[in-house]
Amino acid sequence: MYRTVVNRILLTKNTGGGRRCLLRFPDLRTAVSSSRFSTTTEPQTFPNRPLNPADSSTSSSSTSFQTSSAAGDIPRQERKNPRAEYQGEQARVLQASLRHVLRLGWSEEAMIAGAKEVGISPSIVGSFPRKEAALVEVLLGLNKFFMDDCLQRLIDRIDSGEELQDLIPSQCIYKLVRFRLEMQAPYISKWPQALSIQAHPLNVSTSFKQRAMLVDEIWHAAGDEASDLDWYVKRTVLGGIYSTTEIYMLTDSSPEFRDTWLFLDNRVKDAFDLKKTIQEATYLAEAVGAGMGSSLQGFVGKVIQR
Amino acid sequence: MYLNSYNLPCVTISMNFTSVMFSGFKEVREEEKSQMVGKVFSNVASNYDLMNDFMSGGLHRLWKDRLVSKLSPFPGMKHLDVAGGTGDVAFRILESVNSIKRRALQDPLNDDLQEETRIYVCDINPNMLDVGKNRALEKGLGEDKSLVWVQGDAEALSFEDNSMDGYTIAFGIRNVTHIEKVLSEAYRVLKRGGRFLCLELSHVDIPVFKELYDFYSFSVIPRLGEIVAGDRESYQYLVESIRRFPPQEKFASMIADAGFQKVEYENLVGGVVAIHSGLKI
């Protein structure tokens, strides 16, 4: 993810400053990606790097004392490891908890069961980042982890998928959104609960960021090179498509979600048609304007001449 | 860096407080400190809860609630509450576990787990434990085998290694002689994934509030102790022990030195009280 943002920044720099009317872009995107990595030491060691956004977004009432600042003399390398260890354990617990979600829902019970499975005291469940009520925070931890995991798998798929480049953008987007939604398919019975957790006021900002990153990633894979207002429009539209398809999937009982994919296909087509329609409308407006302008000029000229 | 001897105020019967005002703290050997602490708490035991209410304006209940919610207890838990003589924290944990159990009644596995919950209340002072046992009887928990009252020293616990899911110490750690020993004992008895939580009166840094708090501590509290409990010296000792305790950051580094990870602290009421937490991995 970090890498794609860097590529994009380099790309936009190369296309020249003239076209770039919105200079805040790189800042926004790097700010989003850097907040994910502010407490990560080595992104490569933890493919599931879910807990850091949570760590960096603790509320103002609690102050965090990181163990790294305690060991003044110990070199940085060693200091990283103790902190990394507990995060690794937390990640393992969450991974195990996912297997219990279907039975127990996105809840503390699932996490306790997960901890027991891994062989760690369920007390660790209490150490996941807290904001207010214990249950909400626990749910937050579990849910965010899952979303990051899916994003990572999507990125891997994009990296390995050479055939994506041969497809036209609309097909590409269809495939990627479908792939991403299929990852959620096993949990579909409890997914409404997950969505409600994401919509909770405390969690809205992080879930919004995740969705934005997802949409960005998909567009990037589809070969998007827009750098002005188009960038926002494309992502908003794709965000809309993704959300509506996700909600459609909740009530879809057709075998292997056939209806959902059909729905998705139609929406993607609509979006691309809409794009063409807007383009045509723009051309039309330009033509009319030009026509009107010349006739108006002629009219005014005649009036002045008189 | 810790000195081997501690400074204690001159606890003399001849009500001469000028020595305290001129910071005439006497150096006391460590063997004597635990004796003095023992005497203090034997004196205050019977009125302990009442004085807590008076001094904190009832807030200590909220602080303990916050501690237990941070702990996030679960059925089947083995928990150790050190210096928790009168049982405040233990009762709260028990209530929390029982309520979770009722929620999870659908799951047949959990019924066995409920039997396994054990909350050990450890205190060095038998008078405090007696008060706690009486309170348990009043609450109707006398027959409950989840609560176990143990007399013991926080610096040399009688529990096995890796046997506890949680460890709490509420308003107790400033009274011990060797904080590092208590922390390493806590680390020893906790299981992997177990949490250490410490609720303690701590340092206030906010400018105006600090002065108010100092005035309240040194002028109001000993007087209250005199009126309500008839024991001014003990409460004078209490207030001074708070000032002597390391500040939040220092204490957090001590916890980290004992081997805990993810060491954090949360200030309540601007630093009057702080909850430190650590994770054993």
Side-chain angles (χ1 to χ4, degrees), chain A residues 63 65 82 121 123-124 127, chain B residues 165 192 249 261-263 265:
Chain A
T63 321
F65 176 87
S121 167
S123 290
I124 198 171
S127 75
Chain B
D165 292 302
R192 258 196 109 207
E249 294 281 342
Q261 295 186 28
K262 197 173 192 275
V263 180
Y265 67 87

Side-chain angles (χ1 to χ4, degrees), chain A residues 32-68:
Chain A
V32 166
S33 61
S34 67
S35 72
R36 283 171 63 75
F37 294 108
S38 58
T39 50
T40 310
T41 50
E42 289 170 273
Q44 279 77 29
T45 8
F46 299 107
N48 314 309
R49 35 178 202 275
L51 301 153
N52 305 311
D55 285 345
S56 60
S57 59
T58 35
S59 69
S60 55
S61 68
S62 78
T63 321
S64 224
F65 176 87
Q66 296 300 322
T67 51
S68 61

